[in-house]
Amino acid sequence: MKPQAPAEPPADAVERPDGSFVKLDGENHLLRWTCRGNGSWRKPERFPLDSEQLLWIHAEIKKAQAVRAAKEEAERLRKEEEERQAAEAARQAAEAAAAEAAEARRKRLEAMQ
């Protein structure tokens, strides 16, 4: 007996142009999740696939994985850039504070003389 399919599409499910999500189930079946108008998910449907459909879904999965990987890489690079900019801003602020403190010390020493 097959294990129960998740009520919502998993993260690795592929979104189709009609808004439904699909995922391979075993070697030759497809699970399809569709969303109701109120945002809840219908119970997934299980469809048998012939060899032509199986080739198509494998190609779609590869495309979706490539798109997902590109988005994840872009997000990683964006976060790295934000962290780099924050570190640079912190460094500049520390340098400015150190320069300000040195100037204040210099003025105190001049006032003492």
Side-chain angles (χ1 to χ4, degrees), residues 3-88:
Q4 185 80 14
E8 294 185 5
D12 61 341
V14 177
E15 185 172 7
R16 296 179 56 193
D18 64 1
S20 64
F21 285 80
V22 295
K23 181 179 178 180
L24 281 176
D25 184 36
E27 291 187 20
N28 60 350
H29 283 83
L30 185 73
L31 288 176
R32 181 179 72 169
W33 289 265
T34 55
C35 192
R36 295 184 179 97
N38 67 2
S40 64
W41 291 96
R42 291 182 180 87
K43 179 180 172 185
E45 302 168 277
R46 190 168 187 255
F47 298 98
L49 297 173
D50 62 27
S51 60
E52 188 176 303
Q53 292 169 324
L54 195 57
L55 288 173
W56 174 84
I57 195 65
H58 277 294
E60 289 299 308
I61 288 170
K62 282 188 179 192
K63 278 192 240 176
Q65 288 172 338
V67 167
R68 187 178 297 127
K71 285 181 182 177
E72 289 172 356
E73 179 66 9
E75 180 66 15
R76 184 188 66 78
L77 291 173
R78 184 190 64 77
K79 285 181 180 178
E80 281 182 4
E81 180 62 19
E82 283 179 0
E83 289 171 359
R84 188 195 63 72
Q85 288 176 354
E88 178 65 18

